[in-house]
Amino acid sequence: MWVRGRVRGWRRGWQERSRLERIDLYSRLTVSVMPWLFTLSWDLVPFGTDIRHAPLPLALGSAVLLVGLAQCVLSNRNVQPSYTHYLGISDFPPRRLLAPLVLMLLGLGLLAVLVGVDGVTGDGLLLMTTNAPMPFVITQVLLVPVRAFLVRSLALTALTTGLLAAVGVRDGTLAGVVLTTLFGCLLVLVSVRPSAWSLSVMWQAEEARNLQARLAVAEERLRFGRDMHDVLGRNLAVIALKSELAVELAQRGKPAAVDQMVEVMRIARTSQQEVRDVVRGYREADLRTELLGAQSVLRAAGIECEVAGDGGDALPAPVQSALGWVVREAATNVLRHGDPRQCTIRLRTSADAVVLDVANDGAPRADAAPTGAPPGSGLAGLRERLDVLDGALYGALETDSAGNGWFRLTATVPLPGTRPVRPAFRSAPAPLEETR
């Protein structure tokens, strides 16, 4: 029952992992199994025929095997920090290499003693020589660059060859030691390093997808906030003005206050529907509707508004939508800033571009411009909408000799198929160019 429960737990844990997490686990398990596989095969096989069956050679061969198994244990302990080091998550503690290095040198020393007493010969010697540094090399290949690993492999080969040559290994057998030691190091390099590299690339791709998803969420939040500002800004300004007017009329006992509150109720209901459209993500500003709506709202607020142009019915839908938002934001600013009496909205379409011009006489005097006012987000939102279409937004304050000001907001959008011209944007209503 206990074994069955453990198996079910492992299976459930495996199924709960993502595909990338399964590949990660598979790669780490493979690297962990490799030293055990090599040690239990290359160090055990020589006991059959190549190790002399005498007490001392058998004892030395068993000692080499035990040292190799101890190296496997330490190698498995170092797999996780080695991978995290390779992936750049954390640094590998250098002190963890001390014990594996000592065991590797001890294994090579025992192997040299075994050869010195003529305890192992032939292929068995080559197999044991190949496996002696293997668990240590598996960790090293993830900790250093490839060039450094190759240099260390050559140094390890020289150490092993010199040690065995000192105890009497000669000729073809010594050449075989050189080849098998290099083979073992290169085998680890071509099997472990590409696996870790592939895993690193997959994790980076996963992080890029996560970042892309977070950016998409942030962009959607910005879009939603911009749309809410553009949708509610003008209507709330009109509601505030009409509510103030209704209060004044009610205080004077005039019945016209009821008409103003009826208009406030109508605008509030329209705002509710527009908010629902924004939440659903279906709302697009219609240029003709926005032009008529701006004219109606401004006239309702006591501002004479003139709309000139063809209404933009022949313009592409994205251009109409962007300019519709410009009309809405411009009307909102007319209601909120200054004390305008007149406003003109002109739409001009040429073969290359469409130009929307909104001007009002409510701009403050140059010597009476407010200071320290918090910047709004409406014009910034318009810039974002126009940037998508390679459009531009201008703001200019024009004054006459008496100091009376007209503020003019101009949006230019190149039509599809024309080369976009991107003039510099001059922000409004900060101090701008003045003409007299």
Side-chain angles (χ1 to χ4, degrees):
M1 292 295 294
W2 178 83
V3 174
R4 182 181 300 177
R6 294 287 292 182
V7 171
R8 289 178 178 175
W10 291 335
R11 181 179 180 183
R12 183 166 55 252
W14 174 263
Q15 293 175 345
E16 291 174 354
R17 295 175 182 269
S18 65
R19 291 184 177 179
L20 182 54
E21 289 174 339
R22 292 179 183 180
I23 295 175
D24 187 304
L25 179 60
Y26 171 78
S27 300
R28 296 171 193 261
L29 287 177
T30 301
V31 174
S32 298
V33 169
M34 282 178 61
W36 294 94
L37 180 62
F38 294 147
T39 300
L40 293 176
S41 58
W42 293 348
D43 277 357
L44 279 178
V45 169
F47 279 90
T49 57
D50 296 311
I51 293 181
R52 185 161 53 89
H53 288 191
L56 182 57
L58 290 176
L60 290 172
S62 300
V64 172
L65 176 61
L66 290 177
V67 170
L69 295 176
Q71 283 187 272
C72 293
V73 174
L74 294 181
S75 177
N76 287 173
R77 290 184 58 193
N78 289 334
V79 166
Q80 181 69 19
S82 298
Y83 262 97
T84 56
H85 177 90
Y86 182 84
L87 297 176
I89 300 174
S90 63
D91 293 332
F92 185 89
R95 65 180 183 274
R96 297 181 71 112
L97 290 177
L98 181 59
L101 178 60
V102 170
L103 286 177
M104 183 191 70
L105 295 177
L106 178 60
L108 289 174
L110 290 173
L111 181 59
V113 174
L114 180 61
V115 174
V117 299
D118 197 22
V120 61
T121 58
D123 295 338
L125 171 60
L126 298 180
L127 289 176
M128 298 180 77
T129 302
T130 305
N131 182 71
M134 190 67 69
F136 180 78
V137 170
I138 288 175
T139 300
Q140 280 289 302
V141 76
L142 296 175
L143 300 181
V144 298
V146 174
R147 181 177 299 179
F149 178 79
L150 292 176
V151 171
R152 296 185 183 187
S153 298
L154 292 175
L156 179 61
T157 302
L159 173 64
T160 305
T161 305
L163 188 62
L164 294 180
V167 295
V169 179
R170 296 288 184 272
D171 303 328
T173 304
L174 190 62
V177 168
V178 175
L179 294 177
T180 54
T181 305
L182 286 176
F183 170 78
C185 295
L186 294 178
L187 177 63
V188 171
L189 178 63
V190 300
S191 58
V192 176
R193 189 84 180 195
S195 175
W197 177 80
S198 301
L199 191 61
S200 174
V201 171
M202 287 187 289
W203 276 118
Q204 290 176 3
E206 182 71 13
E207 292 176 359
R209 284 192 291 268
N210 292 337
L211 179 59
Q212 185 178 11
R214 290 194 297 269
L215 290 176
V217 171
E219 182 178 358
E220 182 62 18
R221 288 176 177 172
L222 290 175
R223 183 202 66 80
F224 183 79
R226 181 185 63 196
D227 288 354
M228 289 296 292
H229 173 275
D230 294 344
V231 165
L232 294 180
R234 184 188 68 184
N235 290 352
L236 291 177
V238 176
I239 289 174
L241 290 174
K242 287 191 169 292
S243 297
E244 293 175 1
L245 179 60
V247 170
E248 293 180 0
L249 293 175
Q251 290 175 346
R252 298 175 185 176
K254 294 185 177 181
V258 176
D259 296 334
Q260 297 297 326
M261 291 309 299
V262 169
E263 184 68 13
V264 167
M265 181 176 62
R266 183 190 66 80
I267 296 175
R269 288 177 177 174
T270 302
S271 300
Q272 286 179 330
Q273 182 58 45
E274 290 179 340
V275 169
R276 295 190 189 100
D277 293 341
V278 169
V279 172
R280 295 191 186 103
Y282 298 144
R283 190 181 194 283
E284 289 291 343
D286 178 72
L287 181 55
R288 176 175 289 277
T289 301
E290 293 297 336
L291 289 171
L292 296 177
Q295 184 180 44
S296 174
V297 167
L298 292 176
R299 287 181 176 177
I303 303 171
E304 182 61 31
C305 181
E306 176 187 358
V307 177
D310 58 3
D313 294 335
L315 296 175
V319 177
Q320 287 199 45
S321 177
L323 294 180
W325 289 113
V326 174
V327 171
R328 175 176 283 269
E329 178 62 24
T332 302
N333 289 338
V334 170
L335 291 169
R336 287 179 174 175
H337 307 297
D339 186 19
R341 296 185 302 274
Q342 298 180 12
C343 178
T344 60
I345 304 175
R346 291 186 175 86
L347 184 68
R348 303 188 301 273
T349 303
S350 65
D352 299 330
V354 57
V355 178
L356 176 68
D357 184 84
V358 182
N360 72 91
D361 63 350
R365 296 173 180 268
D367 58 356
T371 59
S377 60
L379 294 178
L382 294 183
R383 285 199 299 272
E384 295 174 2
R385 296 182 188 277
L386 294 175
D387 281 344
V388 176
L389 302 173
D390 293 316
L393 189 67
Y394 292 90
L397 180 63
E398 303 173 355
T399 58
D400 55 25
S401 58
N404 297 320
W406 277 73
F407 183 77
R408 188 178 304 277
L409 187 69
T410 304
T412 304
V413 179
L415 294 177
T418 63
R419 184 176 181 179
V421 178
R422 300 294 303 275
F425 171 78
R426 295 177 288 168
S427 179
L432 303 171
E433 295 181 6
E434 296 184 4
T435 58
R436 294 186 180 274

